[in-house]
Amino acid sequence: MPISGKEMLRRYLLAGWRLQHIKGSHHRLEKNGGHETIPVHGNQDLGKGLERKLLKRLEEK
């Protein structure tokens, strides 16, 4: 099931990640010294590979 950038951002924030800064439509988050960038382009779905990478990273921390 495709996930939008907004939904992925919400999942990261609920998991305890902190918003570091926003540059354009890219939201940079950090937690425990690690960082991740999530593109939020309205309600547009993320690509399959990026979605998989972000979900895997979310499960790790």
Side-chain angles (χ1 to χ4, degrees):
M1 179 172 121
I3 299 175
S4 70
K6 282 183 181 181
E7 174 62 22
M8 187 66 74
L9 178 62
R10 187 184 72 78
R11 289 182 184 196
Y12 267 76
L13 293 174
L14 288 173
W17 288 71
R18 185 178 67 85
L19 186 61
Q20 200 171 20
H21 70 269
I22 300 171
K23 185 170 185 179
S25 61
H26 293 83
H27 294 63
R28 186 168 172 116
L29 302 133
E30 66 92 18
K31 181 177 179 182
N32 299 331
H35 70 273
E36 200 60 68
T37 302
I38 301 176
V40 180
H41 302 287
N43 287 326
Q44 183 179 356
D45 293 336
L46 298 171
K48 274 195 236 180
L50 178 59
E51 179 182 325
R52 225 173 311 168
K53 173 189 171 267
L54 291 172
L55 288 173
K56 184 176 179 182
R57 178 69 186 251
L58 187 59
E59 292 171 2
E60 289 176 0
K61 296 276 178 175

